[in-house]
Amino acid sequence: SDAEAKAKALAARSARLLQEKRTLHAALLARGIKTRSTLKPPDLEDATLHLSPDPVDPSSELRFPVLFLYPLHGQSDFVKSVSEKEVLGVFWEEEMLPLPWDERAEYKAKEVEMYAEKDSSGKGMVKVGRKATVLGFLGGGKVEVVDEIVRVFVVPKARAGEWVESMKARAGK
């Protein structure tokens, strides 16, 4: 019957989604990537942390939504999907520059520092090396991916010290 066919299709879809979720969890675990969900995750629409091309193959490539934050200017850029193999500094230079709001041209290739929060407490930053791949700085378990989004703070080199000190002061160190 029609109802049975619909029920079967729904069950198959549910089983597939569960398998995709388990495979993604296994892939993150195998790569040493820490993740955490909050009670109120942002609505990312179709931007998701996922395996590509095959969401049920843990050896497929992990793809992350990435939020580039420019704390000294109150600006941000959101990229829906960045490969774990991407060199983040190069990706940023090629895809984000020039920044339309950067009137003083402070954000230039090779003249920025990138940081990621160790965890959501805001206590502690990890410097993201210019040549680090996404997996390279997430895979050590030092950085937490919260609500499936990789958050990267981008600061001009000339002002990085000042920003790091302000972050330490805010964290109470």
Side-chain angles (χ1 to χ4, degrees):
S1 78
D2 216 25
E4 281 177 357
K6 279 185 181 168
K8 257 187 178 170
L10 186 63
R13 180 167 160 66
S14 293
R16 170 88 181 176
L17 288 173
L18 183 62
Q19 186 183 7
E20 287 180 13
K21 196 172 190 169
R22 285 184 175 151
T23 306
L24 179 62
H25 180 73
L28 290 164
L29 214 59
R31 289 164 171 85
I33 297 173
K34 281 202 310 199
T35 60
R36 188 170 58 79
S37 297
T38 63
L39 295 173
K40 291 186 178 176
D43 179 12
L44 302 178
E45 294 171 7
D46 60 343
T48 60
L49 168 53
H50 65 279
L51 286 161
S52 176
D54 183 357
V56 292
D57 178 357
S59 67
S60 276
E61 188 174 279
L62 275 172
R63 300 198 63 89
F64 297 86
V66 177
L67 182 62
F68 291 101
L69 298 152
Y70 308 97
L72 297 176
H73 290 85
Q75 299 284 343
S76 64
D77 282 315
F78 182 69
V79 182
K80 285 184 174 185
S81 181
V82 178
S83 166
E84 66 182 323
K85 297 173 183 168
E86 197 75 62
V87 175
L88 205 61
V90 173
F91 176 87
W92 181 80
E93 290 169 7
E94 290 175 355
E95 301 297 323
M96 305 293 144
L97 292 179
L99 299 169
W101 47 264
D102 183 21
E103 291 162 10
R104 291 202 218 126
E106 290 182 81
Y107 295 82
K108 290 190 274 235
K110 300 180 184 151
E111 291 185 30
V112 297
E113 301 281 4
M114 292 185 174
Y115 298 88
E117 277 180 306
K118 284 186 182 171
D119 60 44
S120 59
S121 70
K123 290 187 177 170
M125 291 279 167
V126 173
K127 191 171 177 181
V128 178
R130 242 186 68 68
K131 294 180 179 153
T133 61
V134 174
L135 179 60
F137 79 89
L138 293 179
K142 287 182 183 162
V143 176
E144 201 173 45
V145 178
V146 180
D147 291 331
E148 300 192 352
I149 305 169
V150 175
R151 289 169 178 81
V152 179
F153 295 86
V154 184
V155 184
K157 265 187 189 169
R159 297 181 63 194
E162 141 201 353
W163 181 72
V164 168
E165 288 308 311
S166 75
M167 290 303 289
K168 283 181 181 172
R170 198 178 317 157
K173 287 189 174 176

